[in-house]
Amino acid sequence: MTRNATRRWYLVHKWTSIVCTAFLLMFCITGLPLIFHHEIDELTRAPQLAQTAAGRTIDLDQVTRDTLAKQPPGWKMLFLSWDDEKPLIYSVVAPSLNATQDQAKILLYDARDGRTVDAPPVNEGVMAFLLELHSQLLLGIPGQLFLGLIGVVFLVAVVSGVVVYAPFMRKLAFGTVRKDRSRRLKWLDTHNMVGIVTLGWVSVVGLTGFIITMTTPITAIWQMDELAELAAPYKDAAVPTRLASVNGAVATAKAAVPEGRVSFVAWPGTQFSTKHHYMVAFAGNTPLTERLIKPAMVDAESGRLSDVREMPWYVQALFLSVPLHFGDYGGMPLKIIWALLDIAAIVVLVTGLYLWLGRRRVPIEKRINELTSGGVMEPAE
């Protein structure tokens, strides 16, 4: 690589790293407890389920009526969602169909018999606060999109760091920390060594994090594509004022997708459905397909099945990114590995910050000479 190319990559790495370091520290520090959010919630906020069910079949229409009866007049049902590990149904209701996430309320029901389950609100508490800070900076969708931009800057910093430092690091045995040199050089070697060790992980987490921040645009594209196609035959039809039975819609969808497990039901007019359909979402039964969704669209007025189709690849990428981002695929062993790599990433960030804050006034031309000649590289300014 030429001197001019090295100089350009060096400056790109320097400034992209400076821009995103504070945000990356926030990601890593808040992300560490979020890796174990399920276990922490189980210890501190777990709902108390009855040991035995009442022995009756759950009536989803009754769950819907009960949820709405506990709200002010005019509130709308949005979703029913089934817990992956417990016999729980989350009933989500809001003042309007386009209400924000903060305005929604979530009630819990026993999935075995439909009885109300007492539990702290699932969208409140320390873990909920950390998740909102981690994913949106407490700023909602604008914060989420801004963090998506930071994710792009971070990926550029990773690529430029590899381009700049990898040729130099090949001149040293892997894991070398030159303890006989200056303190700053030891910090630099530590920074580079841990950075290379965690390179694959931070790339995966950074990419999946970026995909998650694109939830709103991805959903909008799906709405303009798949949902618009489903809604086209109804363009001249009035929006239904009386909805078909939710029980019936789920039964109809199950008959069409017998191998699936009901994951959630979206009401007409919500972001996952049209104004004329229930969307009954099915998850698979394997470790991979249980993260994917197959939607069955049921006419909300007649109760007839309209369509069953696979989600497009970009929506599937979003669904797969969430558990991969938090290490939620392989149980506790993978979570522990994710946590150790998260701590290692914090070491990279802290050492990089130390090197920049305590930088020596070495002209950039001298540092480029050291990089291109293979000499002793001092920490970058």
Side-chain angles (χ1 to χ4, degrees), residues 274-309:
T274 75
K275 294 180 180 179
H276 302 272
H277 292 91
Y278 288 110
M279 194 264 264
V280 182
F282 290 92
N285 296 309
T286 68
L288 179 62
T289 60
E290 70 180 5
R291 308 295 181 173
L292 301 177
I293 295 297
K294 177 183 286 189
M297 309 303 292
V298 178
D299 190 300
E301 190 168 33
S302 67
R304 293 193 297 267
L305 183 71
S306 294
D307 194 18
V308 178
R309 62 176 68 183

PDB file of all heavy atoms in Angstrom, residues 274-309:
ATOM      1  N   THR A 274     -52.973  -5.055   7.085  1.00  0.00           N
ATOM      2  CA  THR A 274     -53.707  -4.046   6.328  1.00  0.00           C
ATOM      3  C   THR A 274     -54.929  -3.620   7.139  1.00  0.00           C
ATOM      4  O   THR A 274     -55.192  -4.161   8.221  1.00  0.00           O
ATOM      5  CB  THR A 274     -54.171  -4.605   4.973  1.00  0.00           C
ATOM      6  OG1 THR A 274     -55.295  -5.493   5.171  1.00  0.00           O
ATOM      7  CG2 THR A 274     -53.057  -5.374   4.276  1.00  0.00           C
ATOM      8  N   LYS A 275     -55.697  -2.681   6.613  1.00  0.00           N
ATOM      9  CA  LYS A 275     -56.907  -2.247   7.308  1.00  0.00           C
ATOM     10  C   LYS A 275     -58.019  -3.280   7.230  1.00  0.00           C
ATOM     11  O   LYS A 275     -59.054  -3.132   7.881  1.00  0.00           O
ATOM     12  CB  LYS A 275     -57.397  -0.923   6.722  1.00  0.00           C
ATOM     13  CG  LYS A 275     -56.448   0.235   6.960  1.00  0.00           C
ATOM     14  CD  LYS A 275     -56.998   1.519   6.356  1.00  0.00           C
ATOM     15  CE  LYS A 275     -56.045   2.679   6.599  1.00  0.00           C
ATOM     16  NZ  LYS A 275     -56.548   3.938   5.998  1.00  0.00           N
ATOM     17  N   HIS A 276     -57.790  -4.337   6.444  1.00  0.00           N
ATOM     18  CA  HIS A 276     -58.855  -5.316   6.199  1.00  0.00           C
ATOM     19  C   HIS A 276     -58.473  -6.729   6.627  1.00  0.00           C
ATOM     20  O   HIS A 276     -59.207  -7.667   6.354  1.00  0.00           O
ATOM     21  CB  HIS A 276     -59.213  -5.325   4.701  1.00  0.00           C
ATOM     22  CG  HIS A 276     -59.653  -4.000   4.183  1.00  0.00           C
ATOM     23  ND1 HIS A 276     -60.961  -3.568   4.209  1.00  0.00           N
ATOM     24  CD2 HIS A 276     -58.939  -2.984   3.634  1.00  0.00           C
ATOM     25  CE1 HIS A 276     -61.045  -2.354   3.692  1.00  0.00           C
ATOM     26  NE2 HIS A 276     -59.837  -1.981   3.329  1.00  0.00           N
ATOM     27  N   HIS A 277     -57.337  -6.891   7.299  1.00  0.00           N
ATOM     28  CA  HIS A 277     -56.864  -8.236   7.644  1.00  0.00           C
ATOM     29  C   HIS A 277     -56.357  -8.321   9.077  1.00  0.00           C
ATOM     30  O   HIS A 277     -55.768  -7.376   9.595  1.00  0.00           O
ATOM     31  CB  HIS A 277     -55.714  -8.662   6.720  1.00  0.00           C
ATOM     32  CG  HIS A 277     -56.098  -8.882   5.300  1.00  0.00           C
ATOM     33  ND1 HIS A 277     -56.042  -7.884   4.358  1.00  0.00           N
ATOM     34  CD2 HIS A 277     -56.543  -9.996   4.660  1.00  0.00           C
ATOM     35  CE1 HIS A 277     -56.430  -8.370   3.177  1.00  0.00           C
ATOM     36  NE2 HIS A 277     -56.737  -9.649   3.347  1.00  0.00           N
ATOM     37  N   TYR A 278     -56.597  -9.495   9.654  1.00  0.00           N
ATOM     38  CA  TYR A 278     -55.777  -9.938  10.766  1.00  0.00           C
ATOM     39  C   TYR A 278     -54.501 -10.536  10.160  1.00  0.00           C
ATOM     40  O   TYR A 278     -54.547 -11.183   9.111  1.00  0.00           O
ATOM     41  CB  TYR A 278     -56.447 -11.045  11.575  1.00  0.00           C
ATOM     42  CG  TYR A 278     -57.625 -10.640  12.425  1.00  0.00           C
ATOM     43  CD1 TYR A 278     -58.918 -11.045  12.086  1.00  0.00           C
ATOM     44  CD2 TYR A 278     -57.440  -9.907  13.594  1.00  0.00           C
ATOM     45  CE1 TYR A 278     -59.996 -10.715  12.880  1.00  0.00           C
ATOM     46  CE2 TYR A 278     -58.521  -9.570  14.399  1.00  0.00           C
ATOM     47  CZ  TYR A 278     -59.790  -9.965  14.039  1.00  0.00           C
ATOM     48  OH  TYR A 278     -60.859  -9.627  14.828  1.00  0.00           O
ATOM     49  N   MET A 279     -53.385 -10.341  10.820  1.00  0.00           N
ATOM     50  CA  MET A 279     -52.185 -11.070  10.428  1.00  0.00           C
ATOM     51  C   MET A 279     -51.844 -12.038  11.552  1.00  0.00           C
ATOM     52  O   MET A 279     -51.560 -11.636  12.672  1.00  0.00           O
ATOM     53  CB  MET A 279     -51.001 -10.131  10.187  1.00  0.00           C
ATOM     54  CG  MET A 279     -49.848 -10.842   9.443  1.00  0.00           C
ATOM     55  SD  MET A 279     -48.583 -11.462  10.544  1.00  0.00           S
ATOM     56  CE  MET A 279     -47.410 -10.134  10.467  1.00  0.00           C
ATOM     57  N   VAL A 280     -51.935 -13.343  11.261  1.00  0.00           N
ATOM     58  CA  VAL A 280     -51.574 -14.378  12.228  1.00  0.00           C
ATOM     59  C   VAL A 280     -50.174 -14.842  11.853  1.00  0.00           C
ATOM     60  O   VAL A 280     -49.967 -15.419  10.781  1.00  0.00           O
ATOM     61  CB  VAL A 280     -52.569 -15.553  12.203  1.00  0.00           C
ATOM     62  CG1 VAL A 280     -52.188 -16.576  13.266  1.00  0.00           C
ATOM     63  CG2 VAL A 280     -53.991 -15.055  12.406  1.00  0.00           C
ATOM     64  N   ALA A 281     -49.206 -14.559  12.724  1.00  0.00           N
ATOM     65  CA  ALA A 281     -47.801 -14.853  12.438  1.00  0.00           C
ATOM     66  C   ALA A 281     -47.406 -16.175  13.071  1.00  0.00           C
ATOM     67  O   ALA A 281     -47.654 -16.403  14.263  1.00  0.00           O
ATOM     68  CB  ALA A 281     -46.916 -13.726  12.961  1.00  0.00           C
ATOM     69  N   PHE A 282     -46.784 -17.035  12.273  1.00  0.00           N
ATOM     70  CA  PHE A 282     -46.347 -18.346  12.745  1.00  0.00           C
ATOM     71  C   PHE A 282     -44.821 -18.399  12.798  1.00  0.00           C
ATOM     72  O   PHE A 282     -44.127 -17.905  11.911  1.00  0.00           O
ATOM     73  CB  PHE A 282     -46.845 -19.445  11.812  1.00  0.00           C
ATOM     74  CG  PHE A 282     -48.326 -19.663  11.866  1.00  0.00           C
ATOM     75  CD1 PHE A 282     -49.176 -18.988  10.991  1.00  0.00           C
ATOM     76  CD2 PHE A 282     -48.881 -20.526  12.804  1.00  0.00           C
ATOM     77  CE1 PHE A 282     -50.544 -19.179  11.044  1.00  0.00           C
ATOM     78  CE2 PHE A 282     -50.248 -20.721  12.859  1.00  0.00           C
ATOM     79  CZ  PHE A 282     -51.076 -20.046  11.987  1.00  0.00           C
ATOM     80  N   ALA A 283     -44.296 -19.003  13.853  1.00  0.00           N
ATOM     81  CA  ALA A 283     -42.863 -19.263  13.978  1.00  0.00           C
ATOM     82  C   ALA A 283     -42.613 -20.751  13.756  1.00  0.00           C
ATOM     83  O   ALA A 283     -43.506 -21.587  13.956  1.00  0.00           O
ATOM     84  CB  ALA A 283     -42.363 -18.847  15.362  1.00  0.00           C
ATOM     85  N   GLY A 284     -41.383 -21.090  13.351  1.00  0.00           N
ATOM     86  CA  GLY A 284     -41.032 -22.483  13.120  1.00  0.00           C
ATOM     87  C   GLY A 284     -40.732 -23.215  14.420  1.00  0.00           C
ATOM     88  O   GLY A 284     -40.806 -22.655  15.518  1.00  0.00           O
ATOM     89  N   ASN A 285     -40.342 -24.470  14.283  1.00  0.00           N
ATOM     90  CA  ASN A 285     -40.117 -25.324  15.451  1.00  0.00           C
ATOM     91  C   ASN A 285     -38.665 -25.754  15.618  1.00  0.00           C
ATOM     92  O   ASN A 285     -38.368 -26.620  16.434  1.00  0.00           O
ATOM     93  CB  ASN A 285     -41.008 -26.573  15.350  1.00  0.00           C
ATOM     94  CG  ASN A 285     -42.486 -26.230  15.391  1.00  0.00           C
ATOM     95  OD1 ASN A 285     -42.931 -25.510  16.275  1.00  0.00           O
ATOM     96  ND2 ASN A 285     -43.248 -26.719  14.416  1.00  0.00           N
ATOM     97  N   THR A 286     -37.753 -25.160  14.849  1.00  0.00           N
ATOM     98  CA  THR A 286     -36.334 -25.472  14.986  1.00  0.00           C
ATOM     99  C   THR A 286     -35.612 -24.240  15.539  1.00  0.00           C
ATOM    100  O   THR A 286     -36.148 -23.131  15.493  1.00  0.00           O
ATOM    101  CB  THR A 286     -35.723 -25.856  13.627  1.00  0.00           C
ATOM    102  OG1 THR A 286     -35.714 -24.691  12.772  1.00  0.00           O
ATOM    103  CG2 THR A 286     -36.539 -26.960  12.958  1.00  0.00           C
ATOM    104  N   PRO A 287     -34.388 -24.417  16.071  1.00  0.00           N
ATOM    105  CA  PRO A 287     -33.667 -23.260  16.625  1.00  0.00           C
ATOM    106  C   PRO A 287     -33.521 -22.103  15.650  1.00  0.00           C
ATOM    107  O   PRO A 287     -33.478 -20.943  16.057  1.00  0.00           O
ATOM    108  CB  PRO A 287     -32.303 -23.851  17.003  1.00  0.00           C
ATOM    109  CG  PRO A 287     -32.597 -25.288  17.293  1.00  0.00           C
ATOM    110  CD  PRO A 287     -33.671 -25.682  16.314  1.00  0.00           C
ATOM    111  N   LEU A 288     -33.428 -22.389  14.340  1.00  0.00           N
ATOM    112  CA  LEU A 288     -33.307 -21.322  13.348  1.00  0.00           C
ATOM    113  C   LEU A 288     -34.664 -20.760  12.950  1.00  0.00           C
ATOM    114  O   LEU A 288     -34.895 -19.551  13.005  1.00  0.00           O
ATOM    115  CB  LEU A 288     -32.561 -21.823  12.113  1.00  0.00           C
ATOM    116  CG  LEU A 288     -32.393 -20.788  10.993  1.00  0.00           C
ATOM    117  CD1 LEU A 288     -31.558 -19.607  11.482  1.00  0.00           C
ATOM    118  CD2 LEU A 288     -31.735 -21.432   9.770  1.00  0.00           C
ATOM    119  N   THR A 289     -35.598 -21.646  12.575  1.00  0.00           N
ATOM    120  CA  THR A 289     -36.869 -21.151  12.053  1.00  0.00           C
ATOM    121  C   THR A 289     -37.778 -20.566  13.129  1.00  0.00           C
ATOM    122  O   THR A 289     -38.723 -19.851  12.805  1.00  0.00           O
ATOM    123  CB  THR A 289     -37.623 -22.279  11.329  1.00  0.00           C
ATOM    124  OG1 THR A 289     -37.878 -23.362  12.255  1.00  0.00           O
ATOM    125  CG2 THR A 289     -36.822 -22.811  10.166  1.00  0.00           C
ATOM    126  N   GLU A 290     -37.496 -20.849  14.416  1.00  0.00           N
ATOM    127  CA  GLU A 290     -38.319 -20.258  15.458  1.00  0.00           C
ATOM    128  C   GLU A 290     -38.126 -18.746  15.529  1.00  0.00           C
ATOM    129  O   GLU A 290     -38.918 -18.033  16.144  1.00  0.00           O
ATOM    130  CB  GLU A 290     -38.011 -20.889  16.814  1.00  0.00           C
ATOM    131  CG  GLU A 290     -36.639 -20.530  17.372  1.00  0.00           C
ATOM    132  CD  GLU A 290     -36.369 -21.181  18.721  1.00  0.00           C
ATOM    133  OE1 GLU A 290     -37.225 -21.985  19.146  1.00  0.00           O
ATOM    134  OE2 GLU A 290     -35.321 -20.879  19.329  1.00  0.00           O
ATOM    135  N   ARG A 291     -37.074 -18.238  14.899  1.00  0.00           N
ATOM    136  CA  ARG A 291     -36.841 -16.801  14.842  1.00  0.00           C
ATOM    137  C   ARG A 291     -37.481 -16.159  13.618  1.00  0.00           C
ATOM    138  O   ARG A 291     -37.478 -14.933  13.500  1.00  0.00           O
ATOM    139  CB  ARG A 291     -35.335 -16.515  14.821  1.00  0.00           C
ATOM    140  CG  ARG A 291     -34.567 -17.201  15.936  1.00  0.00           C
ATOM    141  CD  ARG A 291     -34.953 -16.682  17.298  1.00  0.00           C
ATOM    142  NE  ARG A 291     -34.182 -17.336  18.349  1.00  0.00           N
ATOM    143  CZ  ARG A 291     -34.219 -16.970  19.620  1.00  0.00           C
ATOM    144  NH1 ARG A 291     -34.975 -15.967  19.992  1.00  0.00           N
ATOM    145  NH2 ARG A 291     -33.502 -17.624  20.526  1.00  0.00           N
ATOM    146  N   LEU A 292     -37.946 -16.951  12.689  1.00  0.00           N
ATOM    147  CA  LEU A 292     -38.541 -16.438  11.462  1.00  0.00           C
ATOM    148  C   LEU A 292     -40.065 -16.459  11.555  1.00  0.00           C
ATOM    149  O   LEU A 292     -40.636 -17.223  12.326  1.00  0.00           O
ATOM    150  CB  LEU A 292     -38.075 -17.262  10.258  1.00  0.00           C
ATOM    151  CG  LEU A 292     -36.556 -17.287  10.036  1.00  0.00           C
ATOM    152  CD1 LEU A 292     -36.216 -18.196   8.868  1.00  0.00           C
ATOM    153  CD2 LEU A 292     -36.029 -15.880   9.797  1.00  0.00           C
ATOM    154  N   ILE A 293     -40.692 -15.632  10.751  1.00  0.00           N
ATOM    155  CA  ILE A 293     -42.142 -15.476  10.793  1.00  0.00           C
ATOM    156  C   ILE A 293     -42.738 -15.787   9.428  1.00  0.00           C
ATOM    157  O   ILE A 293     -42.239 -15.319   8.393  1.00  0.00           O
ATOM    158  CB  ILE A 293     -42.522 -14.029  11.208  1.00  0.00           C
ATOM    159  CG1 ILE A 293     -42.073 -13.749  12.628  1.00  0.00           C
ATOM    160  CG2 ILE A 293     -44.023 -13.797  11.055  1.00  0.00           C
ATOM    161  CD1 ILE A 293     -42.727 -14.617  13.664  1.00  0.00           C
ATOM    162  N   LYS A 294     -43.795 -16.596   9.434  1.00  0.00           N
ATOM    163  CA  LYS A 294     -44.595 -16.820   8.227  1.00  0.00           C
ATOM    164  C   LYS A 294     -45.983 -16.238   8.492  1.00  0.00           C
ATOM    165  O   LYS A 294     -46.714 -16.736   9.352  1.00  0.00           O
ATOM    166  CB  LYS A 294     -44.703 -18.310   7.896  1.00  0.00           C
ATOM    167  CG  LYS A 294     -45.597 -18.590   6.681  1.00  0.00           C
ATOM    168  CD  LYS A 294     -45.750 -20.081   6.420  1.00  0.00           C
ATOM    169  CE  LYS A 294     -44.488 -20.651   5.834  1.00  0.00           C
ATOM    170  NZ  LYS A 294     -44.691 -22.059   5.384  1.00  0.00           N
ATOM    171  N   PRO A 295     -46.375 -15.182   7.783  1.00  0.00           N
ATOM    172  CA  PRO A 295     -47.670 -14.552   8.055  1.00  0.00           C
ATOM    173  C   PRO A 295     -48.810 -15.177   7.263  1.00  0.00           C
ATOM    174  O   PRO A 295     -48.679 -15.485   6.077  1.00  0.00           O
ATOM    175  CB  PRO A 295     -47.432 -13.101   7.617  1.00  0.00           C
ATOM    176  CG  PRO A 295     -46.416 -13.201   6.533  1.00  0.00           C
ATOM    177  CD  PRO A 295     -45.551 -14.402   6.848  1.00  0.00           C
ATOM    178  N   ALA A 296     -49.915 -15.366   7.942  1.00  0.00           N
ATOM    179  CA  ALA A 296     -51.160 -15.777   7.298  1.00  0.00           C
ATOM    180  C   ALA A 296     -52.142 -14.617   7.437  1.00  0.00           C
ATOM    181  O   ALA A 296     -52.409 -14.154   8.543  1.00  0.00           O
ATOM    182  CB  ALA A 296     -51.721 -17.037   7.956  1.00  0.00           C
ATOM    183  N   MET A 297     -52.652 -14.125   6.321  1.00  0.00           N
ATOM    184  CA  MET A 297     -53.553 -12.980   6.323  1.00  0.00           C
ATOM    185  C   MET A 297     -54.993 -13.485   6.243  1.00  0.00           C
ATOM    186  O   MET A 297     -55.367 -14.229   5.324  1.00  0.00           O
ATOM    187  CB  MET A 297     -53.248 -12.061   5.144  1.00  0.00           C
ATOM    188  CG  MET A 297     -51.775 -11.661   5.025  1.00  0.00           C
ATOM    189  SD  MET A 297     -51.091 -10.849   6.485  1.00  0.00           S
ATOM    190  CE  MET A 297     -51.987  -9.303   6.454  1.00  0.00           C
ATOM    191  N   VAL A 298     -55.795 -13.059   7.220  1.00  0.00           N
ATOM    192  CA  VAL A 298     -57.188 -13.494   7.317  1.00  0.00           C
ATOM    193  C   VAL A 298     -58.081 -12.272   7.182  1.00  0.00           C
ATOM    194  O   VAL A 298     -57.880 -11.267   7.886  1.00  0.00           O
ATOM    195  CB  VAL A 298     -57.454 -14.204   8.656  1.00  0.00           C
ATOM    196  CG1 VAL A 298     -58.922 -14.608   8.764  1.00  0.00           C
ATOM    197  CG2 VAL A 298     -56.548 -15.428   8.797  1.00  0.00           C
ATOM    198  N   ASP A 299     -59.060 -12.348   6.278  1.00  0.00           N
ATOM    199  CA  ASP A 299     -60.005 -11.248   6.076  1.00  0.00           C
ATOM    200  C   ASP A 299     -60.692 -10.935   7.405  1.00  0.00           C
ATOM    201  O   ASP A 299     -61.312 -11.810   8.022  1.00  0.00           O
ATOM    202  CB  ASP A 299     -61.039 -11.631   5.017  1.00  0.00           C
ATOM    203  CG  ASP A 299     -61.902 -10.466   4.597  1.00  0.00           C
ATOM    204  OD1 ASP A 299     -62.594  -9.897   5.474  1.00  0.00           O
ATOM    205  OD2 ASP A 299     -61.918 -10.131   3.399  1.00  0.00           O
ATOM    206  N   ALA A 300     -60.568  -9.692   7.856  1.00  0.00           N
ATOM    207  CA  ALA A 300     -61.067  -9.319   9.180  1.00  0.00           C
ATOM    208  C   ALA A 300     -62.577  -9.204   9.242  1.00  0.00           C
ATOM    209  O   ALA A 300     -63.153  -9.133  10.334  1.00  0.00           O
ATOM    210  CB  ALA A 300     -60.449  -7.986   9.609  1.00  0.00           C
ATOM    211  N   GLU A 301     -63.251  -9.209   8.099  1.00  0.00           N
ATOM    212  CA  GLU A 301     -64.708  -9.112   8.089  1.00  0.00           C
ATOM    213  C   GLU A 301     -65.356 -10.467   7.898  1.00  0.00           C
ATOM    214  O   GLU A 301     -66.278 -10.853   8.628  1.00  0.00           O
ATOM    215  CB  GLU A 301     -65.160  -8.150   6.991  1.00  0.00           C
ATOM    216  CG  GLU A 301     -66.629  -7.786   7.047  1.00  0.00           C
ATOM    217  CD  GLU A 301     -66.967  -6.635   6.130  1.00  0.00           C
ATOM    218  OE1 GLU A 301     -66.329  -6.512   5.069  1.00  0.00           O
ATOM    219  OE2 GLU A 301     -67.868  -5.844   6.480  1.00  0.00           O
ATOM    220  N   SER A 302     -64.842 -11.232   6.917  1.00  0.00           N
ATOM    221  CA  SER A 302     -65.447 -12.532   6.619  1.00  0.00           C
ATOM    222  C   SER A 302     -64.802 -13.676   7.391  1.00  0.00           C
ATOM    223  O   SER A 302     -65.411 -14.736   7.547  1.00  0.00           O
ATOM    224  CB  SER A 302     -65.340 -12.814   5.117  1.00  0.00           C
ATOM    225  OG  SER A 302     -63.975 -13.002   4.740  1.00  0.00           O
ATOM    226  N   GLY A 303     -63.562 -13.499   7.837  1.00  0.00           N
ATOM    227  CA  GLY A 303     -62.847 -14.569   8.527  1.00  0.00           C
ATOM    228  C   GLY A 303     -62.218 -15.578   7.593  1.00  0.00           C
ATOM    229  O   GLY A 303     -61.690 -16.597   8.047  1.00  0.00           O
ATOM    230  N   ARG A 304     -62.259 -15.312   6.289  1.00  0.00           N
ATOM    231  CA  ARG A 304     -61.668 -16.238   5.317  1.00  0.00           C
ATOM    232  C   ARG A 304     -60.182 -15.961   5.132  1.00  0.00           C
ATOM    233  O   ARG A 304     -59.723 -14.824   5.244  1.00  0.00           O
ATOM    234  CB  ARG A 304     -62.390 -16.131   3.971  1.00  0.00           C
ATOM    235  CG  ARG A 304     -63.827 -16.614   3.989  1.00  0.00           C
ATOM    236  CD  ARG A 304     -64.353 -16.784   2.574  1.00  0.00           C
ATOM    237  NE  ARG A 304     -64.382 -15.494   1.878  1.00  0.00           N
ATOM    238  CZ  ARG A 304     -65.437 -14.683   1.839  1.00  0.00           C
ATOM    239  NH1 ARG A 304     -66.550 -15.029   2.467  1.00  0.00           N
ATOM    240  NH2 ARG A 304     -65.382 -13.543   1.186  1.00  0.00           N
ATOM    241  N   LEU A 305     -59.443 -17.022   4.816  1.00  0.00           N
ATOM    242  CA  LEU A 305     -58.020 -16.899   4.573  1.00  0.00           C
ATOM    243  C   LEU A 305     -57.782 -16.170   3.254  1.00  0.00           C
ATOM    244  O   LEU A 305     -58.355 -16.537   2.220  1.00  0.00           O
ATOM    245  CB  LEU A 305     -57.368 -18.280   4.528  1.00  0.00           C
ATOM    246  CG  LEU A 305     -55.841 -18.305   4.355  1.00  0.00           C
ATOM    247  CD1 LEU A 305     -55.156 -17.809   5.621  1.00  0.00           C
ATOM    248  CD2 LEU A 305     -55.376 -19.721   4.012  1.00  0.00           C
ATOM    249  N   SER A 306     -56.924 -15.153   3.275  1.00  0.00           N
ATOM    250  CA  SER A 306     -56.603 -14.409   2.055  1.00  0.00           C
ATOM    251  C   SER A 306     -55.287 -14.853   1.438  1.00  0.00           C
ATOM    252  O   SER A 306     -55.173 -14.971   0.215  1.00  0.00           O
ATOM    253  CB  SER A 306     -56.525 -12.900   2.343  1.00  0.00           C
ATOM    254  OG  SER A 306     -57.773 -12.378   2.716  1.00  0.00           O
ATOM    255  N   ASP A 307     -54.271 -15.103   2.269  1.00  0.00           N
ATOM    256  CA  ASP A 307     -52.961 -15.425   1.715  1.00  0.00           C
ATOM    257  C   ASP A 307     -52.041 -15.944   2.812  1.00  0.00           C
ATOM    258  O   ASP A 307     -52.186 -15.577   3.983  1.00  0.00           O
ATOM    259  CB  ASP A 307     -52.335 -14.179   1.079  1.00  0.00           C
ATOM    260  CG  ASP A 307     -51.136 -14.507   0.201  1.00  0.00           C
ATOM    261  OD1 ASP A 307     -50.998 -15.679  -0.185  1.00  0.00           O
ATOM    262  OD2 ASP A 307     -50.341 -13.597  -0.086  1.00  0.00           O
ATOM    263  N   VAL A 308     -51.117 -16.808   2.420  1.00  0.00           N
ATOM    264  CA  VAL A 308     -50.011 -17.241   3.278  1.00  0.00           C
ATOM    265  C   VAL A 308     -48.752 -17.151   2.436  1.00  0.00           C
ATOM    266  O   VAL A 308     -48.704 -17.693   1.337  1.00  0.00           O
ATOM    267  CB  VAL A 308     -50.190 -18.691   3.780  1.00  0.00           C
ATOM    268  CG1 VAL A 308     -48.992 -19.099   4.623  1.00  0.00           C
ATOM    269  CG2 VAL A 308     -51.469 -18.843   4.563  1.00  0.00           C
ATOM    270  N   ARG A 309     -47.738 -16.444   2.944  1.00  0.00           N
ATOM    271  CA  ARG A 309     -46.496 -16.304   2.184  1.00  0.00           C
ATOM    272  C   ARG A 309     -45.313 -16.133   3.126  1.00  0.00           C
ATOM    273  O   ARG A 309     -45.473 -15.753   4.279  1.00  0.00           O
ATOM    274  CB  ARG A 309     -46.579 -15.121   1.220  1.00  0.00           C
ATOM    275  CG  ARG A 309     -46.780 -13.780   1.904  1.00  0.00           C
ATOM    276  CD  ARG A 309     -46.764 -12.646   0.886  1.00  0.00           C
ATOM    277  NE  ARG A 309     -47.914 -12.680   0.006  1.00  0.00           N
ATOM    278  CZ  ARG A 309     -48.097 -11.835  -1.007  1.00  0.00           C
ATOM    279  NH1 ARG A 309     -47.177 -10.913  -1.254  1.00  0.00           N
ATOM    280  NH2 ARG A 309     -49.170 -11.918  -1.766  1.00  0.00           N
TER     281      ARG A 309
END
